[in-house]
Amino acid sequence: MGTYRDAALAALGDPTRRAIFERLGEGPCAVGQLAADLPVSRPAVSQHLRVLEQAGLVTHEAVGTRRVYRLNPTGIDALRVYFTRFWTTAMSAFQDEAGRRAAEERATDQEQS
């Protein structure tokens, strides 16, 4: 899972790929449609899509002479699981630290009373 996660996060680290990813979140789209909305060439969009596909974040299907891209639910779910686990761990550590500090403050207040 670490390799997939690393590839997915690295792919989304590029602003153009993130823009493509976010646009595909609105629905499937062909390369030409994506390129029309971005300040990069159609071949550059194709390269970015290749990286996103290798990272497991998008899939494509041939529709006539066009390739239509869409988000890959499996890849998106794996990222969701990663971030949920990360966020849960971070919030638990925060809660533990906040509780420890509150206990220290109570102890200090009692000593001063």
Side-chain angles (χ1 to χ4, degrees):
M1 168 82 182
T3 303
Y4 162 78
R5 179 193 67 225
D6 293 345
L9 292 174
L12 292 174
D14 180 273
T16 301
R17 282 195 287 273
R18 233 180 5 264
I20 292 169
F21 179 80
E22 290 170 5
R23 168 54 186 87
L24 290 174
E26 299 171 12
C29 201
V31 176
Q33 293 170 299
L34 290 167
D37 296 335
L38 295 167
V40 296
S41 68
R42 189 176 181 153
V45 169
S46 292
Q47 290 175 342
H48 285 298
L49 286 164
R50 197 169 307 118
V51 172
L52 289 167
E53 192 165 22
Q54 289 171 346
L57 297 174
V58 302
T59 62
H60 77 274
E61 68 177 314
V63 178
T65 59
R66 302 177 337 159
R67 285 185 175 200
V68 176
Y69 287 82
R70 62 179 34 87
L71 294 182
N72 180 350
T74 303
I76 303 304
D77 191 51
L79 273 182
R80 183 194 56 75
V81 167
Y82 166 72
F83 280 114
T84 298
R85 186 178 309 125
F86 175 82
W87 186 246
T88 300
T89 301
M91 289 306 295
S92 179
F94 176 78
Q95 184 178 17
D96 291 347
E97 180 63 15
R100 186 188 66 75
R101 288 185 184 193
E104 284 178 2
E105 287 179 20
R106 282 191 302 273
T108 300
D109 290 346
Q110 287 176 356
E111 288 173 3
Q112 293 174 353
S113 297

